[in-house]
Amino acid sequence: MNNIFGVRIMDDYIRMCEDGVRQGWHERNGGNLTYRMRPEEVEECRPYFRKIPGEWVAMGVQADNLKGEYFISTGSGMFLANVSHEPQNSICIVEINEAGDSYRIVWGLENGGKPTSEFPTHFMNHSIRKEKTKGANRVIYHAHTPNVIALTFVLPLKAEVFTRMLWKSATECCVVFPGGVGVVPWMVPGGADIARATCKEMEKYDAAIWAFHGLFVSGPSFDIAFGLMHTIEKAAQITCIALSCTGGKPLRQTITDDNIRQIGKEFGVTLNEDVLNYGRDYIDEYADDFK
Ligand code: 13P
Ligand code: ZN
């Protein structure tokens, strides 16, 4: 191996960007991906780092448990479709300072640029998910998933209602995201406010929907994070198709709460009881709206 693209973690990161593009989730510069590197991965990449790193840049957010960490990040404004063709100009590796409040670019973005505008949100989500998973979480991924976005125009913007609908869209969904999915109302993207609002959801869930915008997921590996994004988006797609088929009438039948509990038991997963105890589906919520 004589360049950074022979390093396994870089190849896996680039492949995940390609996989997301293939799904149609990354129009133009839509979406972004960050990965918290293991120390040995940093050492594998270090020989290819810039001789002189970039300037330290304050992030407007701070995390004690990410001091001195290294992240691979997509560049702001860069097209994910270009990552596999021109990785050195589309992605970067950043180092976090010892105060945990600033980054500097140590590799990549050779034609200039900075990490994703959502870096404050990714960074704070990494902090929360690292803590909640005792260090296992490494990936934060944001995509513009069309069916999830479409559903935010239709369903009440409540985590319990979305989760119940998505769990009931296909039998194995509740096994893939037993903790449920959070929902963040519409907010201006790219700043500290949306970072804080998303973190509040990521304290409880490992995925959060951004109304009229897309989906944020986390995971210990590229496969698990991508699989979570894929499963939630597919569940939303099935929901959209079923709701369209009825022409606005209630669904004739669905997976019941008891069915969900049975699956949880058989598959040995701990389901979010708050979601089951909520007991109201989208149609019950609508009944109130139209009273
Ligand atoms: P970036 O190009 O800055 O990553 O922004 C894309 C995006 O999806 C913002 O939410
Ligand atoms: Zn976005």
Side-chain angles (χ1 to χ4, degrees):
M1 177 228 312
N2 56 13
N3 77 50
I4 203 165
F5 304 118
V7 176
R8 175 73 193 260
I9 198 64
M10 298 305 287
D11 287 349
D12 289 350
Y13 180 99
I14 293 165
R15 203 196 90 194
M16 175 143 161
C17 293
E18 273 185 302
D19 287 347
V21 169
R22 210 172 295 126
Q23 292 295 331
W25 299 338
H26 299 295
E27 79 291 344
R28 209 173 177 282
N29 65 312
N32 24 71
L33 173 64
T34 55
Y35 173 78
R36 184 170 60 83
M37 299 173 82
R38 292 184 166 83
E40 61 272 24
E41 291 162 346
V42 175
E43 292 320 309
E44 275 184 280
C45 292
R46 197 180 293 282
Y48 312 104
F49 283 1
R50 295 177 181 185
K51 297 273 172 292
I52 302 170
E55 297 289 317
W56 290 109
V57 179
M59 294 182 285
V61 290
Q62 191 274 342
D64 281 341
N65 67 348
L66 298 179
K67 291 174 176 176
E69 294 268 12
Y70 288 77
F71 292 90
I72 312 174
S73 174
T74 43
S76 184
M78 301 303 171
F79 295 17
L80 264 73
N82 290 337
V83 168
S84 59
H85 305 292
E86 285 191 80
Q88 71 281 8
N89 296 323
S90 308
I91 63 175
C92 59
I93 298 175
V94 297
E95 177 188 2
I96 304 301
N97 67 353
E98 280 310 316
D101 64 3
S102 304
Y103 72 80
R104 67 177 176 183
I105 298 175
V106 296
W107 176 87
L109 291 176
E110 287 175 8
N111 290 339
K114 53 184 183 147
T116 171
S117 59
E118 305 293 3
F119 200 76
T121 300
H122 281 249
F123 184 76
M124 291 313 292
N125 281 311
H126 274 289
S127 173
I128 298 281
R129 297 310 300 168
K130 183 182 178 188
E131 184 196 320
K132 295 278 164 199
T133 61
K134 299 186 177 58
N137 192 80
R138 298 217 164 252
V139 181
I140 300 285
Y141 180 36
H142 165 55
H144 292 179
T145 41
N147 292 284
V148 167
I149 298 170
L151 276 189
T152 64
F153 291 87
V154 179
L155 298 184
L157 297 175
K158 285 185 189 161
E160 293 83 358
V161 181
F162 260 87
T163 301
R164 290 169 66 86
M165 194 76 197
L166 296 171
W167 275 356
K168 292 177 181 194
S169 73
T171 297
E172 287 172 49
C173 284
C174 67
V175 179
V176 179
F177 47 101
V181 183
V183 180
V184 177
W186 183 86
M187 293 182 78
V188 175
D193 288 347
I194 198 164
R196 276 188 282 272
T198 310
C199 278
K200 226 172 105 210
E201 298 305 303
M202 296 298 249
E203 293 259 3
K204 284 186 278 182
Y205 309 102
D206 54 11
I209 291 167
W210 280 2
F212 322 129
H213 185 150
L215 182 58
F216 248 89
V217 300
S218 60
S221 66
F222 292 128
D223 276 354
I224 299 296
F226 190 86
L228 181 58
M229 181 76 76
H230 202 181
T231 307
I232 295 173
E233 168 61 3
K234 190 166 183 187
Q237 183 182 22
I238 295 165
T239 305
C240 284
I241 294 170
L243 291 176
S244 307
C245 288
T246 71
K249 290 201 208 100
L251 301 173
R252 183 177 290 273
Q253 59 262 325
T254 180
I255 299 171
T256 66
D257 289 9
D258 279 348
N259 294 156
I260 298 277
R261 286 195 170 93
Q262 260 176 292
I263 301 165
K265 219 166 128 202
E266 287 298 319
F267 282 75
V269 294
T270 309
L271 296 163
N272 183 335
E273 276 299 318
D274 291 346
V275 171
L276 285 170
N277 292 339
Y278 188 75
R280 291 166 63 82
D281 287 315
Y282 85 102
I283 203 73
D284 307 309
E285 300 280 328
Y286 276 133
D288 284 353
D289 286 355
F290 292 112
K291 253 181 207 157

